[in-house]
Amino acid sequence: MKDSPNESPLASAIPVLLNDDSYSAESKRSYQDKLTAYSLKLWDSLIPSHFKPQENNICNEEKYFQKARIKVMREAFAKFIDVPIENVDERDIPIIGISGSGGGLKAAISTIGYLEAMEKHGFFDLAMYIAGVSGSCWALSYLYTVGNGLPSKALVQMKKTLNGHPGNLSHITDILSVNSSSRVPLLFSGMSHKKLSGLHRGVVDTYGILLFAHFLGKSLPMKNLDGVEVEEEDICWNPNHFKLSSQARFLENGQFPMPIYTAVRHERPWSRKFEDNPEAVEISEKELNRRQTIYEKNLDIPDGGHDSVNKDGQGWLQWWEFQPYQIGCDEVNCIVVFCLFLFKKILKSKTLKLGWIPTWSFGRKFEGGKTINEIPEQSFALQVGLTASAMCAPWTTALETVERGSDPTSTTGSLVRKILQLSASVGSVHQWISSHPIHAAYNWNPMYKLHSGPQPPGLNHAKRIQLIDADGTPPPLPPRNDSSDEEKSKFQEQRYCQVFNAKPSFTITGTKGPHGEPLATNEMSIIYFPLLPNPNLPGYTPSSVTFGKLQYEEDEVTKLSKCAGLNFETHIETVRKTVRDVWEKK
């Protein structure tokens, strides 16, 4: 019999796999062990690098960012909590996130006002993440494009650009005419790419491009040292501003917090599934699209072959995030199992929960986890509209907002409360008020036909996905009229800066299996700053600014942002103490 040759495990195993009888049983076992070890090593080196970025945990790029950001934060953290830098271990620095609320441009301006005060006092340098919801997504849009990551610079741009109205076509025309040969293609390319990919373009897409043009503004001619007018460099209309993935440049070496734009998808279990029936007579693409549109609009499909799902169930909102590295949803949990076979046996398997795609791929058409066209990355201008599309929210969101803000003894408050109570007990009423008055933007669904594993029922069968404004979470509210005097007094003292120690806990009615399970489980401290009048800015009341206002004079931007900034500055010691307490616990 032959002795074992000194070859690579893969090459020397080939004759073994061919059942070469010239090798002894002992040699075969030796080769099998070598090949097993080699295969496992190869598996571990290839699978994580290729598939890891799509799993439901942070991707490698974000891990590198976190490590770099912690190093940058260390000195600023020690200075903010007033301890020697030698006392601060990078591993003990808590993860700090900043989140803005919804509320249109009013929320965007006040968010930038808070962030500018944080920048001034060193707290901005402590943040790992900044998340936006609805209007505060617009604040991030300013901050990570024309603001170059600096709140103070973003505020200057707001003062320059918000004096026009995005719905005024002459205003938009004036902005584009400064350099139309460059600006028009930049602004409208996203709409063209949607048409090329076969997607409908709607009111939310138009809304987004008009708003983004409004934000970037009109660069004015400037004078040189000799007093001669020259063209200012068109830095406000940099092509990088039109790609969310380009915002990763602000995260290199951890110099700025990572932006997170948010949206939600409305999962409605009572809707009809849409799935092509391979045994049915072939129908036209037009008919398929008609049925798909009926499904998305939450109407019954008149012909057979489409099962109803959880007809009496409640709907819920899936949380989606748009980041410079990835776009996706942790809740999706599309389970895919990859197996390594050796000698007709499963040597090793890897289960992936795929809920994320690379940011540059959003906008492409997907099927079975693969892109089937090569459309360029979706224009960030369209995402500016999508993440703040409050008009597309279901009626329930409007009713809950009215209910939270109204006197429970008033006629309006009583009527809204009765409707919501009826909705909770009667399925047909819930389905009716869960409809959307305005159709959300169309995008291709990255999870289409990922059949393996449990998923929300509507997601797997929908070719297209519709994401809307995520502003549906109520803030901490003041005590009701029936609260004790002690509770009211305590709230009055703390209302400008409220600190909560909380642990995530929630359940979602109508969900089954893993859908809607809480993803965050660690305890956290929350510092909440409501937008209230500040005594150091007498005569100004932020509540006088209406929610839907889209045009601001420079003085209005200054007052609103200053009011927010003063609220932070007045209570900075409470922030400092809270941060230090969390650090000492670690």
Side-chain angles (χ1 to χ4, degrees):
M1 295 291 179
K2 296 180 182 177
D3 293 328
S4 303
N6 185 20
E7 298 175 331
S8 71
L10 189 60
S12 62
I14 292 175
V16 179
L17 296 176
L18 294 174
N19 298 316
D20 190 333
D21 292 333
S22 62
Y23 287 86
S24 66
E26 184 178 351
S27 295
K28 288 184 178 182
R29 282 195 298 272
S30 176
Y31 292 140
Q32 183 169 336
D33 291 341
K34 287 180 181 180
L35 182 57
T36 298
Y38 181 79
S39 300
L40 289 173
K41 184 178 180 181
L42 186 64
W43 171 271
D44 289 335
S45 66
L46 291 179
I47 294 297
S49 63
H50 189 66
F51 293 104
K52 195 77 170 178
Q54 295 185 352
E55 288 191 68
N56 283 358
N57 52 30
I58 62 175
C59 62
N60 289 333
E61 294 90 341
E62 189 174 343
K63 289 178 181 177
Y64 300 145
F65 158 73
Q66 282 189 340
K67 290 179 181 178
R69 183 65 178 164
I70 285 288
K71 292 183 183 298
V72 171
M73 287 166 56
R74 183 170 176 246
E75 183 177 350
F77 185 84
K79 183 178 180 181
F80 186 79
I81 64 172
D82 195 23
V83 298
I85 191 170
E86 296 79 17
N87 293 0
V88 177
D89 188 307
E90 290 178 2
R91 294 168 296 180
D92 294 332
I93 298 176
I95 299 295
I96 296 176
I98 301 170
S99 178
S101 74
L105 278 176
K106 178 180 179 179
I109 296 167
S110 58
T111 297
I112 290 295
Y114 278 115
L115 293 177
E116 187 197 30
M118 294 175 186
E119 177 189 5
K120 178 181 175 182
H121 293 279
F123 185 76
F124 184 74
D125 294 328
L126 274 56
M128 181 71 73
Y129 299 97
I130 298 184
V133 173
S134 191
S136 56
C137 284
W138 292 345
L140 299 188
S141 301
Y142 268 101
L143 184 60
Y144 287 92
T145 56
V146 290
N148 282 327
L150 298 172
S152 52
K153 191 168 183 179
L155 183 58
V156 170
Q157 181 70 6
M158 279 184 163
K159 292 177 180 179
K160 286 182 178 180
T161 59
L162 294 183
N163 58 349
H165 195 289
N168 185 338
L169 293 183
S170 62
H171 166 62
I172 301 300
T173 302
D174 286 345
I175 292 172
L176 295 176
S177 63
V178 172
N179 188 358
S180 59
S181 61
S182 172
R183 293 185 177 189
V184 170
L186 276 175
L187 188 62
F188 291 97
S189 61
M191 298 283 262
S192 300
H193 294 153
K194 266 202 163 184
K195 182 179 180 181
L196 289 172
S197 72
L199 284 171
H200 296 295
R201 295 153 295 165
V203 63
V204 176
D205 300 315
T206 304
Y207 170 68
I209 63 172
L210 293 177
L211 277 169
F212 200 49
H214 182 51
F215 295 166
L216 297 181
K218 178 181 180 180
S219 299
L220 299 175
M222 59 185 295
K223 293 183 179 181
N224 62 17
L225 295 177
D226 297 324
V228 178
E229 284 195 352
V230 295
E231 271 194 34
E232 184 179 1
E233 185 183 358
D234 206 2
I235 55 174
C236 292
W237 284 73
N238 186 325
N240 282 329
H241 296 343
F242 288 82
K243 290 184 179 181
L244 176 56
S245 64
S246 292
Q247 294 183 18
R249 70 189 187 277
F250 294 107
L251 311 183
E252 294 173 1
N253 304 316
Q255 68 267 44
F256 292 108
M258 177 174 162
I260 300 176
Y261 303 82
T262 61
V264 292
R265 175 183 171 272
H266 192 185
E267 175 66 36
R268 293 162 289 182
W270 58 84
S271 293
R272 298 273 184 171
K273 286 183 182 178
F274 178 85
E275 185 173 18
D276 302 346
N277 183 356
E279 298 178 358
V281 178
E282 183 177 350
I283 57 177
S284 67
E285 182 68 20
K286 184 176 181 180
E287 174 63 12
L288 285 173
N289 284 330
R290 183 189 72 83
R291 294 186 183 185
Q292 178 69 21
T293 302
I294 290 174
Y295 163 75
E296 290 162 348
K297 288 185 176 179
N298 192 28
L299 302 173
D300 287 338
I301 296 176
D303 47 327
H306 304 84
D307 302 327
S308 63
V309 183
N310 196 13
K311 193 70 177 177
D312 298 322
Q314 297 277 311
W316 72 93
L317 299 175
Q318 294 172 339
W319 185 264
W320 287 66
E321 294 182 2
F322 286 65
Q323 308 168 2
Y325 301 129
Q326 295 188 120
I327 293 174
C329 171
D330 276 339
E331 185 194 322
V332 170
N333 285 344
C334 295
I335 298 178
V336 179
V337 180
F338 296 89
C339 297
L340 174 63
F341 287 89
L342 188 63
F343 305 114
K344 299 182 180 180
K345 294 182 180 179
I346 296 179
L347 182 63
K348 191 173 182 181
S349 65
K350 186 174 183 65
T351 301
L352 303 181
K353 295 181 178 180
L354 305 180
W356 297 80
I357 58 170
T359 299
W360 51 262
S361 68
F362 188 76
R364 296 187 177 193
K365 192 173 184 178
F366 287 82
E367 185 169 335
K370 298 179 180 179
T371 58
I372 56 177
N373 62 16
E374 295 185 358
I375 296 297
E377 179 178 343
Q378 185 177 84
S379 171
F380 182 62
L382 302 184
Q383 294 162 11
V384 166
L386 183 154
T387 55
S389 54
M391 65 283 200
C392 298
W395 291 113
T396 46
T397 300
L399 290 170
E400 287 166 357
T401 301
V402 172
E403 194 270 341
R404 289 198 302 267
S406 62
D407 184 344
T409 62
S410 67
T411 303
T412 301
S414 177
L415 178 61
V416 169
R417 194 166 63 257
K418 285 180 180 178
I419 294 174
L420 292 173
Q421 289 171 350
L422 191 63
S423 167
S425 58
V426 181
S428 58
V429 176
H430 177 79
Q431 293 169 30
W432 178 72
I433 68 170
S434 293
S435 61
H436 297 254
I438 296 179
H439 216 34
Y442 282 113
N443 284 293
W444 293 118
N445 176 15
M447 313 305 163
Y448 178 53
K449 288 192 174 180
L450 270 177
H451 286 285
S452 40
Q455 300 170 64
L459 191 60
N460 185 66
H461 303 284
K463 289 182 179 180
R464 298 174 292 214
I465 191 171
Q466 292 171 291
L467 303 175
I468 59 173
D469 184 303
D471 186 20
T473 304
L477 297 174
R480 293 286 193 182
N481 292 329
D482 56 355
S483 302
S484 67
D485 291 338
E486 183 180 352
E487 286 178 324
K488 290 179 182 178
S489 176
K490 184 179 179 181
F491 181 83
Q492 189 67 22
E493 294 171 5
Q494 300 177 349
R495 65 178 186 145
Y496 279 92
C497 180
Q498 302 167 41
V499 181
F500 303 89
N501 293 315
K503 185 173 183 179
S505 176
F506 63 88
T507 56
I508 301 177
T509 307
T511 63
K512 294 182 179 180
H515 313 311
E517 293 295 321
L519 301 170
T521 56
N522 293 337
E523 292 185 5
M524 65 184 77
S525 293
I526 301 172
I527 306 174
Y528 171 60
F529 280 93
L531 184 59
L532 298 170
N534 191 282
N536 296 319
L537 195 63
Y540 182 74
T541 305
S543 61
S544 62
V545 182
T546 59
F547 166 77
K549 185 177 174 67
L550 292 174
Q551 185 173 6
Y552 288 78
E553 297 300 327
E554 182 176 340
D555 182 58
E556 293 178 299
V557 175
T558 299
K559 286 181 179 178
L560 182 55
S561 60
K562 186 176 181 180
C563 179
L566 286 172
N567 285 348
F568 179 82
E569 291 177 353
T570 304
H571 298 278
I572 191 171
E573 293 308 317
T574 301
V575 177
R576 199 186 316 277
K577 181 181 182 302
T578 304
V579 172
R580 182 162 184 161
D581 287 348
V582 172
W583 171 70
E584 288 176 345
K585 286 180 183 178
K586 293 191 73 174

